[in-house]
Amino acid sequence: MTQIAMPQPDPLILAKRERIIAGLKERVPAQWVITEEDERRPYETDALTAYRRLPLAVVLPGSTEEVAAILSFLSREGVKIIPRGAGTSLSGGALPQEDAVVVGVGRLNKVLDVDFTNRTARVQSGITNLAVTTHISPDGFFYAPDPSSQLACTIAGNIAMNSGGAHCLKYGVTTNNILGVRMVLLDGTIVDFGGETFDQPGYDWLSLVIGSEGQFGIVTEATLRILRACEGARPCLLGFDKVEDAGACVAAIIASGIIPVAIEYMDQTAIRICEDFAHAGYPLDVAAMLIVEVEGADAEIDVLLTHIEKVARENGARIVKVSKSEAESAAIWKGRKSAFGATGRIADYLCMDGTIPTGQLPYVLTRIGEIVAHHRLRVANVFHAGDGNLHPLILFNANDVDELERAEQAGNEILELCVEVGGCLTGEHGVGIEKRDLMEKQFTPVDLDQQIRVKLLFDPDWLLNPAKVFPLNLHPLPLGRAA
Amino acid sequence: MSASSLAPQNSLEVASIVRDAAARRQSIEIIGGGSKRALGRPLDAAITVDVSGLSGVTLYEPAELVVSARSGTPLQHVTDLLAQKGQMLPFEPADYRPLLASTGEPTIGGMVATNLSGPRRLHVGACRDAIIGCKFVNGRGEEIVSGGRVMKNVTGYDIGRAMAGAYGTLGVLTEITFKVLPRSHATLTLVYEGLSCDRAVALMSAAVASPFEVTAAAHIAEGNRARTCLRLEGFDASITYRAGRLIEDLAEYGQPQRLDAAPSKGLWREIGEARSIIEPADHVVWRLQMPPSRSAALVNSLRAMMDVSVLYDWAGGLVWLSHAPGDDVTAVRTAAKAGGGHATLIRAGEALRRRLSPFEPQAPAVEKLARGLKHAFDPAGILNPGRMYAGI
Ligand SMILES: Cc1cc2nc3c(=O)[nH]c(=O)nc-3n(C[C@H](O)[C@H](O)[C@H](O)COP(=O)(O)OP(=O)(O)OC[C@H]3O[C@@H](n4cnc5c(N)ncnc54)[C@H](O)[C@@H]3O)c2cc1C
Ligand SMILES: Cc1cc2nc3c(=O)[nH]c(=O)nc-3n(C[C@H](O)[C@H](O)[C@H](O)COP(=O)(O)OP(=O)(O)OC[C@H]3O[C@@H](n4cnc5c(N)ncnc54)[C@H](O)[C@@H]3O)c2cc1C
């Protein structure tokens, strides 16, 4: 019904389901092998909820050694494996298949060691992103990449997707904040990449593993770079009558030599949705709004915000609200932080994630408006403007099959537009199944072939999170007929 | 062995040279400016490919913080261009020609292939962190694109970033795109004098664990008086405030001298180039990476065995160390490893570089993967074979 095809399950694997389950129960305590249909149900999808597949079984290992035993068993049996963190992927990255076993790392959720002197934290991969920062914040430290989903999403998922967040303009994304990982290979070998030092000798395995979307192995531990927080942070809110002016203002702030920790953009639809929900005091009569946050001591923040206010006025900002207190800061952020929830309240939505050169912002926003109108839908734009990572939320009604298809079509056109103007399909959510079939828009066959050659080093039989990232026609083994 | 020498002018020519060489199984040594040619294991390649003809900046958008250049572009050319717009490569690449007594013009391809970063690496990440896209020719002679020109991009695997530090063994880089940063409006360096290595590392650790954004921290142990240096960058008002707070919080280490922008610049250039340990020229030079808290103990343990000169950068995470060629070279690596770190041999006679792996030997499981990765990019094994490790 929906557009993205998934392979047919392998009948030979389905036929030996009992044997696979028995094998898992020999390797982890039976209570952590989930087989009943109603208990498997929560694992049938992730945050791309339009797609659901009930997995053959779910296993929740309690140690790296158990993960190793599970992987060597399943790979010997030729069973597909879906690594899973919290299942908040927006690209279908954690979507199971009927003939696959989900390996969830949720029980591996401990902080193993924190070293404030060397500014590192070693954690098990199933810990949530926010739990890391919560653990170290009493000492004034934090872990920088902060996806909006940080309350739920795991470090494992962040590593697999190379996740970003609102503060990555200054602090970078996951790949810039990981010093080491412990990963289990398909054959059960446990390898350590990186460690506690700044750089690693030999090949840069972390570059490859981070962003590999669960297709290289199962990450069970990670060593994170932790940072001392600045003394404070405060935002200002800027309102513009013209979308172009907001775009120009972003460029002007950066060109003037300031890297704010965050520059968030909201269009009028997004402002209205968030204001209705959060009553944050947002201006309803502007075409676009920016939230710009800077860090430092109070005196520094004053200097920076004064400078930003000046640049904003020069670039046509009609409304400038500079936060003077923690309460005012919270109010400014409240609407933005509830954007996804508030939107979900009024409609179903597809969250796009393309990135564009920021100079193309006005053109791309105009085109997005046209594309969505053409498909008789509405869009709300909320995104990280400093780095050009767009999140158009395409609003639709999931009970209307035709609307879903139109929404997916509009989404594809928007992503193609991003590539056309020199950007990319996904800035932080990953390819998963959602953007799989668009990969040939961004890459040539030899580019994809080179990526696949790297994948085959880790997973020659396409057992790890298969049917994702690469278009199905590039999978070398018969994965079954597309359904 | 006399090698034939080729000088392609564009990526198509690179691809065709590599394709031909792959068909004949002839090995290739890639040369950028030749300034770091002595890094790594010596090569005896059939063909040398000089990529300095692939030159020129292909894209520069200051407001988007992005610059692209062909791989043979002189590093100096890129940094000069960025400086005109008040910007810089974040990781502060250093000039190793004095250290390596080499000539030639360092290129951005050589810089990426060696992934060597300078003092600001402490604060903003390494060369590899600044890469947002690249084009390269793999060992099959295919032109590959990875990443792009936008800051956030998780489309496909990050194979371009993995070119950093691969010493040209996975591909010939032809064009690289970097994230750049604004230069700071002002700079101030605080210099503490006369601290022991242990105290200096403790001071640096305390400084980087403060909220006051120290963008570089180094300890020059050699010379008449040891100097421990903390750099602050940003707006004047901000620097004044942060310096005041740091001096107050670190009062137990003494009162620092203040160096403003001009002398700061010279000092950090010297630190980046490891000037304080260059002499004598025949001494062996190592670059050790350690968890900072263990670096002083490592140096102390080596001092018990031999005379060493040391320079700490990255708040102690990086130790430049030199010793006489006759000393026990294996001791350095053993000690680094025991402390949770690793050691790269940077300067040594060719005989020693042939005998002792310049790079930290790898765990067997990782070594096996490394051979597989080499094969995935360069199945004939012709690109800089053996420069990093035997067999890759
Ligand atoms: C409301 C909302 C807001 C969001 N905001 C952001 C945002 O601001 N920035 C952003 O980048 N993302 C965002 N996301 C997307 C999502 O949260 C991230 O992709 C996140 O990293 C996924 O983590 P997870 O633990 O939920 O992983 P899952 O969804 O369970 O899995 C994600 C991928 O990781 C793989 N994986 C999981 N565990 C492992 C493992 N142990 N080893 C190897 N591979 C593994 C899976 O196979 C899958 O491919 C948002 C999602 C939602 C629902
Ligand atoms: C461990 C180590 C020890 C060194 N010791 C010495 C020494 O004793 N004496 C000395 O003179 N220099 C030494 N160097 C410096 C080095 O050999 C070069 O001189 C330096 O990298 C300068 O940059 P370049 O552009 O001149 O690069 P080059 O020196 O030309 O190249 C540096 C490395 O990068 C590779 N490379 C260059 N361009 C590309 C490209 N486009 N694509 C892929 N790979 C590329 C080269 O094959 C080489 O391995 C050393 C470097 C290292 C890392």
Side-chain angles (χ1 to χ4, degrees):
Chain A
M1 230 173 347
T2 46
Q3 296 187 345
I4 304 166
M6 292 300 285
Q8 292 282 18
D10 181 344
L12 294 177
I13 298 294
L14 297 181
K16 60 175 178 178
R17 177 164 190 259
E18 290 316 314
R19 176 189 150 90
I20 294 166
I21 288 170
L24 291 173
K25 287 184 176 166
E26 281 168 26
R27 287 162 178 88
V28 279
Q31 68 187 115
W32 301 115
V33 180
I34 296 169
T35 57
E36 294 305 316
E37 183 176 330
D38 58 336
E39 290 174 6
R40 279 182 284 145
R41 200 49 79 189
Y43 297 89
E44 71 177 353
T45 189
D46 52 23
L48 186 69
T49 51
Y51 294 85
R52 292 163 196 273
R53 289 283 187 286
L54 202 58
L56 186 140
V58 177
V59 56
L60 304 175
S63 67
T64 300
E65 290 66 31
E66 283 184 8
V67 173
I70 292 166
L71 289 201
S72 72
F73 166 67
L74 291 176
S75 61
R76 254 192 341 266
E77 294 287 330
V79 180
K80 293 169 193 151
I81 295 152
I82 312 292
R84 186 178 176 102
T88 67
S89 171
L90 286 164
S91 60
L95 177 74
Q97 292 168 41
E98 294 90 336
D99 55 353
V101 171
V102 169
V103 181
V105 291
R107 288 178 60 221
L108 301 171
N109 59 3
K110 288 176 202 54
V111 173
L112 298 172
D113 183 35
V114 179
D115 183 338
F116 291 115
T117 310
N118 293 319
R119 299 184 302 150
T120 58
R122 208 158 57 81
V123 300
Q124 290 184 315
S125 68
I127 191 169
T128 63
N129 176 293
L130 187 62
V132 174
T133 289
T134 306
H135 188 91
I136 56 183
S137 58
D139 293 274
F141 282 76
F142 70 112
Y143 172 62
D146 58 343
S148 323
S149 52
Q150 67 177 164
L151 182 65
C153 70
T154 64
I155 294 296
N158 296 172
I159 288 172
M161 291 312 197
N162 191 12
S163 301
H167 294 87
C168 52
L169 187 56
K170 177 169 175 193
Y171 294 108
V173 295
T174 302
T175 195
N176 311 115
N177 290 278
I178 301 278
L179 295 171
V181 299
R182 175 163 292 177
M183 186 168 91
V184 181
L185 306 181
L186 262 186
D187 67 1
T189 309
I190 298 167
V191 284
D192 286 320
F193 296 130
E196 296 169 273
T197 55
F198 279 84
D199 304 315
Q200 51 177 332
Y203 289 136
D204 191 343
W205 296 103
L206 295 174
S207 286
L208 295 171
V209 168
I210 298 167
S212 62
E213 304 208 12
Q215 298 193 317
F216 288 4
I218 292 198
V219 173
T220 59
E221 288 179 19
T223 305
L224 317 179
R225 163 66 70 218
I226 57 172
L227 297 173
R228 180 67 192 265
C230 286
E231 288 190 319
R234 260 187 289 138
C236 62
L237 181 160
L238 312 171
F240 299 83
D241 289 327
K242 289 206 234 109
V243 167
E244 292 77 13
D245 289 348
C249 183
V250 172
I253 291 171
I254 290 174
S256 77
I258 293 185
I259 304 293
V261 263
I263 309 184
E264 298 289 302
Y265 175 103
M266 296 169 80
D267 72 1
Q268 195 173 51
T269 311
I271 296 169
R272 293 205 167 142
I273 291 172
C274 294
E275 180 60 21
D276 268 1
F277 178 78
H279 310 293
Y282 287 172
L284 294 172
D285 60 342
V286 295
M289 189 183 108
L290 296 175
I291 298 175
V292 184
E293 179 158 276
V294 294
E295 287 185 334
D298 245 12
E300 297 175 73
I301 293 177
D302 285 338
V303 173
L304 291 171
L305 288 180
T306 307
H307 175 86
I308 288 169
E309 173 167 1
K310 179 169 153 279
V311 175
R313 299 256 185 228
E314 284 164 10
N315 282 278
R318 176 161 59 79
I319 292 175
V320 178
K321 262 200 228 175
V322 174
S323 160
K324 299 259 181 279
S325 67
E326 235 168 77
E328 286 177 22
S329 300
I332 289 178
W333 274 114
K334 191 173 165 207
R336 168 62 185 94
K337 290 204 163 150
S338 59
F340 288 14
T343 309
R345 217 173 47 126
I346 63 156
D348 298 298
Y349 65 83
L350 284 182
C351 176
M352 297 291 109
D353 174 46
T355 307
I356 57 162
T358 48
Q360 300 283 342
L361 252 178
Y363 169 71
V364 169
L365 290 174
T366 308
R367 284 287 298 129
I368 289 178
E370 289 166 6
I371 290 170
V372 172
H374 177 251
H375 290 281
R376 290 171 284 129
L377 295 164
R378 288 206 306 149
V379 64
N381 282 296
V382 194
F383 57 83
H384 315 303
D387 47 34
N389 189 192
L390 306 183
H391 290 319
L393 302 178
I394 304 174
L395 312 181
F396 71 103
N397 172 2
N399 295 322
D400 181 336
V401 175
D402 180 55
E403 272 208 9
L404 170 59
E405 282 194 10
R406 278 187 279 132
E408 288 189 336
Q409 184 55 37
N412 287 351
E413 287 171 26
I414 289 172
L415 295 183
E416 285 177 37
L417 169 68
C418 293
V419 175
E420 237 172 73
V421 299
C424 66
L425 297 171
T426 171
E428 59 181 17
H429 296 166
V431 178
I433 57 163
E434 189 207 13
K435 274 126 355 201
R436 184 190 72 193
D437 297 329
L438 294 173
M439 286 290 273
E440 285 160 309
K441 301 275 179 201
Q442 186 170 334
F443 294 109
T444 65
V446 283
D447 296 339
L448 291 175
D449 181 62
Q450 181 63 74
Q451 293 184 32
I452 288 173
R453 282 169 194 278
V454 175
K455 181 208 163 49
L456 295 179
L457 165 63
F458 293 95
D459 179 18
D461 299 323
W462 293 76
L463 295 176
L464 273 164
N465 219 10
K468 306 194 180 152
V469 183
F470 302 104
L472 292 185
N473 60 319
L474 297 182
H475 292 219
L477 292 175
L479 264 169
R481 229 172 3 91
Chain B
M1 185 170 176
S2 83
S4 75
S5 184
L6 298 167
Q9 297 301 305
N10 56 50
S11 59
L12 271 177
E13 290 177 14
V14 174
S16 114
I17 290 169
V18 176
R19 256 195 319 273
D20 288 352
R24 299 194 198 110
R25 305 241 150 200
Q26 283 180 318
S27 57
I28 290 176
E29 177 179 6
I30 309 162
I31 297 184
S35 70
K36 301 179 203 66
R37 220 175 144 189
L39 288 184
R41 303 171 75 232
L43 281 185
D44 303 305
I47 309 172
T48 60
V49 174
D50 174 352
V51 298
S52 59
L54 277 70
S55 189
V57 169
T58 50
L59 172 105
Y60 180 32
E61 290 287 349
E64 293 175 10
L65 301 175
V66 52
V67 69
S68 308
R70 297 198 183 92
S71 63
T73 312
L75 171 59
Q76 188 68 47
H77 178 75
V78 176
T79 47
D80 287 350
L81 184 76
L82 295 175
Q84 284 169 21
K85 297 282 179 192
Q87 297 188 331
M88 62 182 181
L89 289 171
F91 49 92
E92 208 172 359
D95 186 351
Y96 297 113
R97 283 175 293 187
L99 170 69
L100 300 170
S102 63
T103 53
E105 187 66 37
T107 61
I108 64 155
M111 171 184 83
V112 170
T114 52
N115 189 32
L116 296 171
S117 318
R120 202 180 289 97
R121 195 256 178 271
L122 170 71
H123 186 59
V124 295
C127 174
R128 60 85 82 179
D129 291 293
I131 296 172
I132 57 178
C134 75
K135 296 183 183 164
F136 63 91
V137 170
N138 67 13
R140 297 145 58 88
E142 296 165 332
E143 290 184 71
I144 309 288
V145 177
S146 170
R149 57 162 290 197
V150 288
M151 209 89 74
K152 269 170 87 185
N153 185 346
V154 297
T155 323
Y157 306 145
D158 205 354
I159 57 177
R161 196 183 304 282
M163 294 288 129
Y167 281 80
T169 61
L170 300 179
V172 185
L173 291 157
T174 56
E175 188 176 330
I176 305 140
T177 304
F178 301 94
K179 172 187 173 170
V180 302
L181 282 181
R183 273 169 193 274
S184 61
H185 290 235
T187 303
L188 175 71
T189 302
L190 304 178
V191 182
Y192 292 79
E193 290 204 332
L195 298 179
S196 67
C197 290
D198 301 85
R199 294 266 295 158
V201 171
L203 162 70
M204 293 190 288
S205 295
V208 295
S210 79
F212 306 117
E213 293 205 298
V214 172
T215 69
H219 177 65
I220 305 167
E222 303 318 307
N224 298 336
R225 250 178 114 60
R227 284 175 295 163
T228 315
C229 315
L230 305 178
R231 183 174 65 187
L232 298 167
E233 295 173 295
F235 287 90
D236 277 321
S238 157
I239 289 183
T240 308
Y241 170 79
R242 280 147 62 205
R245 290 294 309 272
L246 273 173
I247 292 170
E248 197 179 311
D249 290 1
L250 302 171
E252 59 171 299
Y253 298 95
Q255 277 301 308
Q257 252 187 64
R258 291 162 174 259
L259 296 185
D260 61 17
S264 273
K265 195 171 167 200
L267 174 68
W268 289 102
R269 186 184 314 117
E270 280 181 22
I271 290 169
E273 293 174 2
R275 290 277 184 167
S276 59
I277 53 106
I278 286 182
E279 301 292 344
D282 68 329
H283 276 200
V284 172
V285 174
W286 294 86
R287 206 167 178 265
L288 314 179
Q289 294 211 26
M290 300 294 299
S293 65
R294 278 172 245 155
S295 56
L298 162 92
V299 169
N300 292 340
S301 74
L302 287 171
R303 284 218 159 106
M305 290 181 252
M306 57 178 100
D307 262 348
V308 295
S309 303
V310 286
L311 164 66
Y312 298 80
D313 199 353
W314 304 351
L318 173 66
V319 182
W320 290 94
L321 182 139
S322 80
H323 60 72
D327 290 332
D328 177 9
V329 284
T330 56
V332 175
R333 183 161 276 153
T334 310
K337 190 158 186 197
H342 52 87
T344 306
L345 184 60
I346 289 287
R347 187 178 74 186
E350 184 164 328
L352 183 56
R353 283 188 292 129
R354 281 188 193 273
R355 182 159 61 81
L356 195 72
S357 169
F359 301 97
E360 185 73 27
Q362 317 186 76
V366 176
E367 187 183 344
K368 188 171 155 217
L369 283 173
R371 284 172 195 268
L373 193 69
K374 169 76 172 174
H375 188 78
F377 283 88
D378 176 19
I382 55 167
L383 299 178
N384 277 357
R387 167 134 291 166
M388 289 181 88
Y389 296 102
I392 67 168

